[in-house]
Amino acid sequence: MSIRTLDDLLAEGVSGRRVLVRADLNVPLDKQSGAITDDGRIRAVLPTLSALTGAGAQVVVCSHLGRPKGAPDPQFSLRPVADRLGELLGATVRFATDTVGDSARSTVDALADGEVALLENLRFNAGETSKDEAERGAFADQLAAFGTAYVDDAFGAVHRKHASVYDVAARLPHFAGRLVLREVEVLSTLAGEPERPYVVVLGGSKVSDKLAVIEALLPKVDRLLIGGGMCFTFLKAQGHEVGSSLLEEEMVETCRNLLERSAGKIMLPVDVVVADAFAPDSPHDVVRADGMPSKRVGLDIGPETVAGFAAALTSAPEGAGAPGGARTIFWNGPMGVFEMPAFANGTRGVAEAIAGSGAFTVVGGGDSAAAVRALGLDESSFSHISTGGGASLEYLEGKTLPGIAALEK
Ligand code: 3PG
Ligand code: MG
């Protein structure tokens, strides 16, 4: 298995060549204004794009945004992303108002050497996500016509068997971009023999989304700290009242079983912040995790839990080898509703403890990466902030990722 990289492509020479780049520019947008609320994924692809434009390539970028249903839907247009990308590159980005139609063709034809075009949202075409190989293949043929080489830098989408991620790679000479390479390098360290103690912090709303990764991680980690909405299903499994907090009733038994098998590795909150309602200005209090009132909703982990989690990150559990704190930390998922300042302290506190730990620290994707930036934390105090939420979890589960497999062929 050997993946050819952007450097291999650059060594071939790309001046005057058209290169198709799959990026993951699926950035969060403000519901009211449509403005980009976190441009981390756009910034993450700049090194690859600049290397190509600097070498004189005609760069055709494609991406998805959100989950439109296979037809154009203006709220998911990539136009604001084209503008932001242009600002960050310091160059005009030509925007095509369709993906493989007339606008795309004329936009691509107009490209001069060293210029960038962005195609409209790939998911405006049913072929992109189709389960039908032929339908995906037909769309991939159209996309492939826009390049003489394909660079995949869409780490956040490598777990999707989609036309632009999987099928296009079979149609063009294919190369991994800088971001994909860095992500795989970091995550393969975690999946291999990470330096111990290895502590994982998981949050986010659903246990069901994290079940596979918990199963895969339990044998490898020294500690697994659980917060966020998913902690309430675990607390329920311990027999506690959880009020109207997020709860996956059908997962309670699974959580009970995990707790039994975890050999004491799993740490749950000992206190939580409960509110009258899911609202930024709702009255709220800190209560014991085993004493939640029946009519209130848990929206964050409490201060004692933050302190306990911080201590667990900076002091080794017995039998974990070296004394001192964790040597490797992986964090995925916010500890509470960090978008509301009243319920952001858990996420902030845990993020700060991770940042200050001295360990090799990896922040896994989506919401936790956005939280780091939204809370104004210094990104450079983490070893790596992944751009992939689902992708990084599936990588750690040991699954074959279609986008990576396609590059290996
Ligand atoms: C993500 O946000 O996780 C990636 O962009 C993939 O998006 P998807 O989950 O809609 O496929
Ligand atoms: Mg997602």
Side-chain angles (χ1 to χ4, degrees):
M1 146 215 127
S2 87
I3 293 183
R4 284 190 297 164
T5 70
L6 183 66
D7 286 331
D8 296 320
L9 175 60
L10 293 171
E12 281 179 13
V14 290
S15 182
R17 265 179 88 180
R18 225 168 253 167
V19 178
L20 179 68
V21 178
R22 174 54 156 109
D24 182 356
L25 304 177
N26 183 22
V27 290
L29 303 176
D30 182 82
K31 281 192 190 70
Q32 258 84 53
S33 69
I36 297 167
T37 55
D38 177 37
D39 64 3
R41 281 181 164 167
I42 306 177
R43 285 184 288 119
V45 78
L46 296 176
T48 289
L49 298 185
S50 304
L52 286 167
T53 56
Q58 302 177 9
V59 183
V60 181
V61 183
C62 60
S63 174
H64 73 286
L65 177 80
R67 291 180 176 172
K69 300 270 168 281
D73 182 344
Q75 62 170 317
F76 295 116
S77 174
L78 277 168
R79 187 184 284 280
V81 172
D83 296 340
R84 184 75 188 120
L85 179 59
E87 282 166 28
L88 292 166
L89 282 170
T92 305
V93 168
R94 296 174 183 268
F95 182 66
T97 56
D98 59 25
T99 316
V100 289
D102 290 342
S103 172
R105 274 191 297 274
S106 59
T107 304
V108 170
D109 280 342
L111 276 177
D113 295 356
E115 281 190 344
V116 176
L118 176 64
L119 306 178
E120 184 54 288
N121 196 334
L122 290 158
R123 293 186 185 173
F124 286 0
N125 300 69
E128 168 67 358
T129 61
S130 177
K131 297 253 181 300
D132 181 74
E133 302 259 332
E135 194 184 2
R136 264 199 343 262
F139 183 54
D141 284 339
Q142 290 178 292
L143 280 174
F146 291 144
T148 61
Y150 167 77
V151 173
D152 186 4
D153 218 19
F155 180 74
V158 291
H159 59 318
R160 302 291 183 218
K161 194 173 182 178
H162 292 168
S164 66
V165 178
Y166 184 75
D167 305 86
V168 168
R171 289 164 167 75
L172 290 173
H174 42 272
F175 305 86
R178 301 232 195 283
L179 174 64
V180 161
L181 276 182
R182 172 72 182 145
E183 296 265 17
V184 168
E185 183 191 2
V186 168
L187 292 170
S188 63
T189 308
L190 296 191
E193 298 281 326
E195 257 193 79
R196 293 179 57 200
Y198 177 23
V199 181
V200 169
V201 185
L202 289 181
S205 47
K206 288 185 173 167
V207 184
S208 47
D209 287 348
K210 303 277 158 70
L211 187 60
V213 81
I214 293 174
E215 294 279 5
L217 287 171
L218 263 184
K220 295 191 87 91
V221 301
D222 297 294
R223 274 180 174 141
L224 177 57
L225 317 182
I226 294 180
M230 65 189 264
C231 78
F232 299 104
T233 304
F234 279 94
L235 291 172
K236 177 90 180 182
Q238 288 187 322
H240 303 317
E241 167 70 53
V242 296
S244 50
S245 309
L246 267 184
L247 176 66
E248 283 179 283
E249 200 66 69
E250 66 291 351
M251 295 297 294
V252 171
E253 195 48 47
T254 306
C255 289
R256 190 173 295 135
N257 184 269
L258 279 172
L259 287 169
E260 270 164 23
R261 284 189 292 129
S262 74
K265 285 178 178 176
I266 296 182
M267 264 181 88
L268 293 171
V270 292
D271 60 349
V272 292
V273 181
V274 292
D276 291 347
F278 186 90
D281 51 359
S282 175
H284 53 274
D285 302 284
V286 176
V287 299
R288 308 301 306 165
D290 58 5
M292 286 183 65
S294 63
K295 294 217 165 62
R296 304 186 84 189
V297 56
L299 296 182
D300 197 9
I301 59 175
E304 199 178 315
T305 303
V306 172
F309 282 9
L313 290 163
T314 49
S315 70
E318 238 156 85
R327 299 298 309 147
T328 308
I329 298 171
F330 174 68
W331 168 38
N332 182 294
M335 297 290 103
V337 187
F338 74 90
E339 298 89 342
M340 303 180 187
F343 311 110
N345 292 335
T347 304
R348 177 187 298 282
V350 168
E352 282 171 351
I354 294 170
S357 67
F360 179 67
T361 54
V362 180
V363 182
D367 288 343
S368 13
V372 164
R373 293 184 282 260
L375 296 174
L377 300 168
D378 181 5
E379 288 179 68
S380 68
S381 55
F382 300 89
S383 310
H384 180 71
I385 300 182
S386 177
T387 54
S392 60
L393 291 178
E394 289 196 21
Y395 191 100
L396 293 180
E397 282 163 31
K399 280 199 187 148
T400 298
L401 305 178
I404 305 288
L407 293 176
E408 285 170 346
K409 280 183 196 149

